[in-house]
Amino acid sequence: MLTQVLDRIRRLLGRSTSASASTSASTSASTSAPTPERADAGPASARAPVFTADFGSTRQWVAGRSWAYPNGGPTNPGDNKLDHLVADPSFSRSGTFRAVRRPDGNWNTGLLTTEGSEEGFMVRTGDVLESRVRLPAELGAWPAIWTWLDGDNEIDVFEYHPDNPDLLELSNHVRGGSRYHRDPSVGPGRWVDLKVEFGSRSVVWWVNGKQVFADRRGVGRRWRAYLIVNLSVCAGRYHPAPDRAVSEMSFEVAYLRVIRP
């Protein structure tokens, strides 16, 4: 009888130890399991970039002129801009794009483009562009990342005007389609993550990791274009011109890269 009681106690103790070990293993596995990637991270973020912007590189970028401006610049009053493009590296080469008021009423402004550079990089159908920017705060500031080729092929990765503080303008000028995207995470002085996929049948935009617009128009199979990054200054027709007390403004680009399937 005593032997049977002792055997029963041993069996009970064994089950308790086994259950404890199982619980411990389960807890350990749960703790060490990797966090899954976010589902909204976008379609190509794991691929290696084919282009990583080095704004200081004269092989990648040309400063202070673009054929998106009449005669290559330096001014573009027809687009209601006060810009006077300058090649001065302090206006763009650090990744901070600046504008400074001139005595004649225009503004010296920073612009970089891959058009005409030694490398001559162009985005093309299927590419994904990713960037992180800090928006300007001053009225009249008009920052943008966009594409251009031979008077056309324009896709606006973004445009921004501080008089509409929570709004980004996202546009496909190739086949039509645009969105005024309002977002509480967008505002003067704030950092914004941008991603655009230049699809043949749909251009798709992400803002801060969330898909916000797919135009269902696309760029076609053979589209390609140069990149432009710049800070323009509004002349007042569509958005307010700068206050008279303001003499300088800027926006920053922390990184820009292009991923190709």
Side-chain angles (χ1 to χ4, degrees):
M1 184 70 176
L2 179 58
T3 301
Q4 293 175 349
V5 171
L6 290 173
D7 288 341
R8 188 176 181 183
I9 291 173
R10 290 192 189 99
R11 286 196 297 271
L12 288 172
L13 289 173
R15 288 174 185 171
S16 175
T17 303
S18 175
S20 175
S22 176
T23 301
S24 175
S26 175
T27 301
S28 175
S30 174
T31 302
S32 62
T35 303
E37 292 185 359
R38 280 173 22 192
D40 59 4
S45 56
R47 300 188 185 122
V50 295
F51 179 84
T52 300
D54 175 1
F55 295 124
S57 171
T58 56
R59 289 174 53 86
Q60 282 191 359
W61 301 94
V62 169
R65 59 182 171 86
S66 168
W67 288 107
Y69 282 55
N71 301 313
T75 62
N76 190 6
D79 275 352
N80 201 232
K81 295 181 176 182
L82 297 175
D83 303 11
H84 186 105
L85 302 180
V86 294
D88 184 336
S90 70
F91 279 78
S92 59
R93 291 291 187 181
S94 68
T96 296
F97 291 77
R98 301 171 55 232
V100 175
R101 190 187 293 271
R102 295 164 52 95
D104 62 8
N106 285 335
W107 289 64
N108 288 334
T109 57
L111 177 148
L112 293 178
T113 179
T114 57
E115 181 181 15
S117 69
E118 185 175 342
E119 293 184 3
F121 178 80
M122 286 191 279
V123 288
R124 67 190 192 194
T125 301
D127 283 355
V128 175
L129 182 150
E130 299 176 337
S131 188
R132 179 172 172 81
V133 304
R134 187 179 68 82
L135 302 172
E138 296 83 5
L139 290 178
W142 183 356
I145 298 175
W146 46 303
T147 68
W148 186 262
L149 176 65
D150 297 335
D152 200 357
N153 286 15
E154 181 180 352
I155 301 292
D156 296 332
V157 174
F158 91 103
E159 296 177 90
Y160 180 72
H161 300 278
D163 57 303
N164 291 319
D166 63 345
L167 187 146
L168 297 176
E169 298 180 19
L170 318 172
S171 303
N172 177 351
H173 296 284
V174 179
R175 292 186 168 182
S178 63
R179 170 70 54 86
Y180 283 177
H181 172 65
R182 293 193 178 275
D183 192 317
S185 67
V186 171
R190 292 186 177 180
W191 287 97
V192 178
D193 294 323
L194 302 163
K195 177 184 284 189
V196 178
E197 181 180 15
F198 304 103
S200 62
R201 297 185 178 181
S202 187
V203 180
V204 184
W205 282 261
W206 287 260
V207 175
N208 290 330
K210 180 180 179 181
Q211 182 178 320
V212 298
F213 180 44
D215 65 17
R216 302 186 183 278
R217 300 294 181 86
V219 293
R221 296 174 58 188
R222 299 182 179 180
W223 175 85
R224 60 178 185 163
Y226 295 107
L227 291 170
I228 300 175
V229 185
N230 76 302
L231 176 61
S232 285
V233 180
C234 297
R237 185 187 308 159
Y238 307 115
H239 297 272
D243 293 335
R244 292 184 178 181
V246 175
S247 60
E248 185 168 351
M249 57 185 68
S250 67
F251 95 105
E252 298 178 45
V253 182
Y255 66 81
L256 186 156
R257 55 183 174 244
V258 176
I259 298 155
R260 182 162 292 165

